[in-house]
């Protein structure tokens, strides 16, 4: 795909180089056709002295390794180059290129570029991006854009475009569901959207093999809005479930059928290989499993960001109300369900990750870092099922239900029935693993940490206060990022006060919105953290506006934990 160069230059504020575009360079005698960078550039996993740089080469007819030159400069015109080199790639890694550039200065903005290489020399037009290393020592503030859940056929990636246009962003955090595994059949997820006809998944079937996962990543990275966001700033990423298959856990997934789709370990390995090829994430250290993607990032003395992995290394199979909530004499046996639900052997994290988390939190607090930030895939707050009928009133609720399709009517009726019990609305979130959640809270409390939990997955905005099991200490604040395009409860029931119902039902939920699309812009300072819920006006048209839906401010408590969230 050829992308308008001037538009992308404007996004990055560059004057003499392309930014995330599909740059082409004709190199006679090297390949059968021109070398192209159709999938843009990306950077990621920044540290104080290094950062990952990424691109992908399209070289039709190439049978031998393809060479590229890369440069890193402190200026957009590349007059002062500080690092450069040559790399090759081939079909064994799907012609992707990943460079771990070292020897950089802390807290510094850099520009980088890739060009085709012939005999070790750069030729043709460059594809360019902007990145930044992490600060060391005392800093005033840190600005992070927090995202999740981009379903390609369901809408335009306007929120990514909005991130690319931010006047400042130090890093973009993607908390999972960067791609989705579903196909393009009429009943597949997202295919009922008005945009699906022009945003068809490739391949058109559910992805299972290595080639399938590679093709899906290729499709996503042809999107110009996603390319612009990648070219704007370094990304720090982690997968959730759809990078492999829906509701994945250590031994399988809801959307994996071994009889027809083969061995789960084989599918998982294919998905992770494609992920590491196509994402700007540092490769797994020698001797470690690729699933063990937990890692830390230090933003000066303002924030320690700890990225967790809660899908593929230790998560036990989630409970399910249809199978785990027995019906006795026509009534649900809630006590039997609660015994399973609170079983301490049910895990989200394994012991290795838990020990790592404890040591990192303790070290961060001991060093005097202002905030300990958890980059986490799923909502951590206690969220019981709301009673929408009670919130709306019987007449308005009845009118709403009458307009719903049959499958939705059933789900809403189940929701109202379940609201009578103090059990979770989402067993796939931390709420389905309460003993493991309390272990995390114990880590925070023991260290007297000031934690902010970030979450994706739910396709809703959340602002939550997290309390310990005893209910006598506010442990952390939580900001949940809504989706880029994936549908939420509010899309299923337009106009219903879903967020209000969640707030009425749950002590920990301060704010929730069920249909807005966008991202969280988190500004961390000494003494306060501000979460702006950034909303795009539409995902059905590439023309959109961006606004702040809500703003909440968090302040640290004197003895660890946080004070009550304040809207502001």
């Amino acid at each position: 795909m050829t992308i308008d160069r001037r538009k992308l230059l404007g996004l990055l504020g560059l004057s003499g180089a392309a930014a995330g575009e599909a740059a082409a360079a004709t190199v006679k005698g090297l390949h059968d056709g021109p070398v192209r960078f159709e999938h843009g550039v990306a950077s990621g996993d920044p540290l104080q002295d290094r950062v990952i740089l990424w691109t992908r080469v399209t070289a039709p007819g190439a049978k031998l390794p393809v060479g590229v030159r890369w440069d890193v400069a402190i200026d957009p015109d590349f007059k002062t180059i500080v690092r450069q080199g040559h790399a090759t790639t081939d079909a064994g890694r799907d012609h992707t290129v990943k460079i771990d550039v070292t020897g950089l200065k802390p807290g510094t903005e850099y520009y980088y570029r890739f060009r085709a290489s012939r005999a070790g020399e750069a030729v043709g037009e460059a594809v360019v991006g902007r990145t930044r290393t992490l600060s060391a020592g005392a800093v005033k503030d840190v600005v992070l854009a927090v995202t999740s859940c981009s379903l390609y056929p369901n809408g335009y990636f306007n929120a990514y475009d909005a991130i690319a246009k931010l006047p400042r962003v130090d890093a973009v955090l993607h908390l999972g569901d960067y791609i989705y595994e579903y196909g393009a059949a009429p009943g597949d997820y997202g295919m009922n959207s008005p945009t699906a006809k022009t945003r068809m998944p490739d391949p058109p079937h559910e992805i299972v093999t290595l080639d399938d996962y590679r093709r899906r990543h290729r499709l996503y990275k042809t999107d110009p809005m996603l390319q612009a966001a990648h070219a704007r700033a370094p990304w720090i990423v982690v997968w959730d479930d759809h990078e492999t298959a829906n509701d994945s856990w250590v031994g399988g997934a809801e959307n994996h059928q071994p009889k027809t789709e083969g061995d789960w370990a084989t599918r998982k390995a294919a998905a992770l290989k494609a992920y590491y090829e196509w994402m700007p994430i540092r490769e797994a250290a020698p001797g470690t499993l690729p699933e063990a993607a937990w890692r830390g990032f230090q933003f000066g003395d303002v924030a320690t960001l700890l990225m967790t992995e809660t899908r593929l290394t230790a998560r036990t199979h989630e409970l399910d109300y249809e199978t785990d909530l027995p019906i006795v004499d026509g009534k649900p046996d809630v006590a039997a369900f609660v015994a399973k639900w609170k079983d301490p052997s049910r895990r989200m994290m394994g012991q290795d990750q838990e020990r790592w988390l404890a040591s990192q939190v303790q070290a961060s607090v001991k060093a005097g870092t202002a905030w300990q930030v958890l980059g986490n895939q799923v909502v951590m707050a206690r969220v019981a099922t709301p009673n929408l009928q009670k919130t709306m009133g019987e007449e308005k609720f009845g009118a709403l239900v009458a307009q719903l399709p049959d499958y939705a009517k059933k789900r809403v009726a189940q929701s109202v029935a379940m609201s009578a019990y103090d059990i979770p609305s989402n067993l796939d979130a931390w709420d389905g693993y309460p003993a493991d959640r309390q272990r995390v809270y114990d880590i925070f409390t023991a260290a007297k940490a000031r934690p902010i939990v970030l979450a994706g997955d739910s396709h809703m905005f959340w602002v939550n206060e997290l309390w310990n099991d005893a209910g006598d200490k506010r442990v952390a604040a939580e900001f949940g990022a809504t989706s880029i395009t994936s549908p939420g409860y509010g899309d299923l029931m337009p106009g219903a006060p879903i967020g209000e119902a969640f707030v009425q039902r749950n002590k920990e939920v301060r704010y929730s919105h069920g249909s807005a699309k966008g991202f969280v812009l988190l500004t961390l300072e000494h003494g306060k953290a501000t979460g702006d819920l950034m909303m795009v006006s539409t995902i059905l048209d590439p023309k959109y506006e961006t606004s702040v839906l809500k703003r909440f401010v968090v302040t640290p408590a004197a003895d660890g934990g946080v004070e009550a969230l304040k809207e502001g």
Side-chain angles (χ1 to χ4, degrees), residues 436-457:
D436 223 19
R437 176 176 55 195
Q438 185 57 43
R439 281 188 279 261
V440 174
Y441 290 173
D442 290 343
I443 289 172
F444 292 157
T445 302
K448 294 186 177 181
R450 297 162 292 275
I452 295 177
V453 175
L454 303 176
D457 179 68

Side-chain angles (χ1 to χ4, degrees), residues 22 34 42 53 93 105 179 218 282 297 300 332 402 517 523:
L53 304 182
R93 58 171 300 109
K105 294 181 178 181
I179 64 169
R218 286 177 214 162
R282 192 164 275 108
F297 301 88
K517 302 294 180 280
T523 302

Side-chain angles (χ1 to χ4, degrees), residues 390-421:
K390 181 178 179 181
T391 301
M392 297 182 71
E394 289 191 17
E395 183 176 349
K396 290 183 179 179
F397 178 76
L400 169 72
V401 171
Q403 298 174 10
L404 296 177
D406 289 341
Y407 78 91
K409 290 178 181 178
K410 181 180 178 181
R411 288 181 61 181
V412 172
Q414 289 175 336
S415 174
V416 171
M418 295 297 290
S419 68
Y421 307 101

Side-chain angles (χ1 to χ4, degrees), residues 340-460:
K340 291 183 180 181
W341 172 43
K342 295 188 175 181
D343 184 346
S345 68
R346 303 189 65 255
R347 302 300 299 254
M348 287 275 274
M349 292 184 185
Q351 292 183 354
D352 288 346
Q353 184 174 187
E354 192 175 283
R355 284 191 289 266
W356 167 84
L357 181 64
S359 67
Q360 294 293 309
V361 170
Q362 291 169 3
S364 176
V365 174
K366 186 176 181 180
T369 306
W371 297 101
Q372 291 70 50
V373 182
L374 205 66
N376 149 75
Q377 293 93 331
V378 296
V379 173
M380 190 170 279
R382 291 174 178 82
V383 184
T385 302
N387 189 331
L388 195 56
Q389 184 177 17
K390 181 178 179 181
T391 301
M392 297 182 71
E394 289 191 17
E395 183 176 349
K396 290 183 179 179
F397 178 76
L400 169 72
V401 171
Q403 298 174 10
L404 296 177
D406 289 341
Y407 78 91
K409 290 178 181 178
K410 181 180 178 181
R411 288 181 61 181
V412 172
Q414 289 175 336
S415 174
V416 171
M418 295 297 290
S419 68
Y421 307 101
D422 191 19
I423 51 181
S425 66
N426 183 3
L427 293 170
D428 187 55
W430 278 95
D431 226 2
Y433 302 80
D436 223 19
R437 176 176 55 195
Q438 185 57 43
R439 281 188 279 261
V440 174
Y441 290 173
D442 290 343
I443 289 172
F444 292 157
T445 302
K448 294 186 177 181
R450 297 162 292 275
I452 295 177
V453 175
L454 303 176
D457 179 68
S458 70
H459 312 170
M460 297 176 64

Side-chain angles (χ1 to χ4, degrees), residues 48 135-139 299-302:
Q48 293 174 355
S135 297
V139 296
F299 292 82
D301 62 348
V302 169

Side-chain angles (χ1 to χ4, degrees), residues 12 29 45 57 171 173 233 265 302 333 351 394 498 524:
L12 288 181
D45 275 14
V57 176
L173 274 55
V302 169
D333 188 347
Q351 292 183 354
E394 289 191 17
I498 294 172
L524 300 160

Side-chain angles (χ1 to χ4, degrees), residues 45 236-238 281-282 293-297 305-308 356:
D45 275 14
I236 299 172
V237 302
V238 68
I281 182 175
R282 192 164 275 108
W294 54 83
R295 58 211 194 280
F297 301 88
L305 170 65
L306 301 172
M307 299 294 286
T308 62
W356 167 84

